[in-house]
Amino acid sequence: MRSKRRTNVYVQTSLLLVGLAIVLVVPVLVGDNQYHMVLITTVLLYGVLATAWNLIGGMAGQLDLAAGAYLGLGAFTTGTLLLRWDISPWLGMILGGLVATGFAVLVGLPLFRFGVKEVWYALSSAALVEVLRVLLQMWEEVGGPTERYLPFYSWSLYHMRFASYAPYYYILLVVLLIALFLNHRIAKSKLGYYLLALGENEDAAEVLGVDARACKLKALMIYAFLVGTAGGVYACLYGFIHPNFFSSPISLEVAILGIVGGMGITYGPLVAAILLVSLQEFLRAGLGGQLEGLYLAIYAVVLILIALFKPKGIATFIRDAYDKVMSRLAITGEKDVVRADSPGL
């Protein structure tokens, strides 16, 4: 048993180190091609958003469609602080995460207090995105219907403005690692077990003594903070802020990635982001100019096929393959032990 556990830890550590080494050298492999670099950075951004969504949607089973609201709040907080008071986005992105968290608490408390869940929670969270978008269009002091461009610098660490997209890639990579770490730790904690129980059957979990409101609110706060923090990087990445940052399509895309990747699986949303967002951008670039909307039709067909053949998420491919490899390693190890202990061999 100890040998199997050591082998398991060794394999997991090796895979993590190899994966980290690969993602660290991606900008080097891409080189000076900024088009490819911004696409890869976009994939990483969606990986952060979907991994954060996994806490409230994958574990707690709440179909949250407010990612666009928290992303926009983080972007506007960071951008406004920079434009009006020259406060560095390094601080602004943290404050943006806190603003998003505060807004999530204001919304989550009444919704969870009155037991709003499932479809009604999805509709309520989706409505928040449009409410904030319209509000920011009318609020001229910080928003308005036109773009507000951030100060341009060819290279300024203080203002988080760079001539290349590679620094934004590494910043989002750090945020992604934090999101993955939090997912992993929470999944192994008491809160994680409570959230998974709520996702399976909320009424039964409450009967067993789980405080549904408190657990869901904690998951919502962590999710909102991560998305709001990513929103600050999002504003600097594109160099402006606009009410259209409060985007319902982004909210829907994040939820799709979380569901298709594998609800409750730590690395599932990231795998979905890498595969599906890359596929979508590839189809958009290759087919968008030939026949408008064709890439969306192909993307929809891919989603339908995944729903039919892997309804529990595409990350289950990786999990099943890993389990088979570990089983074979365990069998091989047991045979070696038997041979070593057998006399005459």
Side-chain angles (χ1 to χ4, degrees), residues 111-292:
L111 289 179
F112 296 148
R113 169 64 180 81
F114 292 103
V116 178
K117 53 187 176 181
E118 298 176 351
V119 176
W120 294 109
Y121 179 82
L123 293 175
S124 301
S125 60
L128 297 175
V129 182
E130 290 302 314
V131 169
L132 288 174
R133 186 178 65 83
V134 174
L135 177 63
L136 266 296
Q137 282 182 337
M138 299 169 58
W139 192 1
E140 290 285 347
E141 286 76 9
V142 297
T146 60
E147 295 89 353
R148 292 177 181 259
Y149 289 93
L150 305 184
F152 175 77
Y153 299 92
S154 60
W155 189 277
S156 176
L157 187 62
Y158 178 83
H159 296 94
M160 201 186 287
R161 302 290 287 148
F162 310 105
S164 168
Y165 290 108
Y168 298 113
Y169 172 89
Y170 286 114
I171 294 170
L172 286 171
L173 179 60
V174 172
V175 180
L176 174 63
L177 292 175
I178 293 172
L180 288 170
F181 175 76
L182 289 175
N183 264 263
H184 177 72
R185 290 301 300 268
I186 291 174
K188 301 298 182 181
S189 68
K190 183 185 293 186
L191 175 61
Y193 294 129
Y194 286 167
L195 291 175
L196 290 172
L198 292 171
E200 288 293 329
N201 191 321
E202 185 171 327
D203 294 332
E206 287 185 310
V207 169
L208 294 175
V210 176
D211 190 341
R213 280 183 291 171
C215 292
K216 290 191 292 186
L217 190 60
K218 289 177 182 177
L220 181 64
M221 290 171 64
I222 299 172
Y223 153 64
F225 179 79
L226 290 171
V227 175
T229 301
V233 186
Y234 183 73
C236 295
L237 175 65
Y238 290 99
F240 68 93
I241 54 176
H242 189 272
N244 285 340
F245 280 5
F246 295 91
S247 170
S248 295
I250 287 180
S251 300
L252 183 60
E253 183 74 12
V254 169
I256 289 174
L257 293 175
I259 295 170
V260 172
M263 296 182 66
I265 302 175
T266 299
Y267 54 86
L270 176 59
V271 172
I274 293 172
L275 297 178
L276 295 182
V277 177
S278 300
L279 174 65
Q280 186 176 17
E281 294 300 328
F282 174 78
L283 293 174
R284 190 203 307 272
L287 303 175
Q290 299 177 13
L291 185 60
E292 186 178 357

Side-chain angles (χ1 to χ4, degrees), residues 11-32:
V11 172
Q12 289 179 355
T13 305
S14 300
L15 290 174
L16 287 174
L17 291 176
V18 171
L20 184 60
I22 292 174
V23 297
L24 286 175
V25 301
V26 163
V28 179
L29 297 176
V30 172
D32 296 329

Side-chain angles (χ1 to χ4, degrees), residues 34-47:
Q34 293 303 304
Y35 173 72
H36 290 161
M37 195 66 242
V38 73
L39 291 183
I40 295 170
T41 305
T42 302
V43 171
L44 205 60
L45 172 66
Y46 274 98

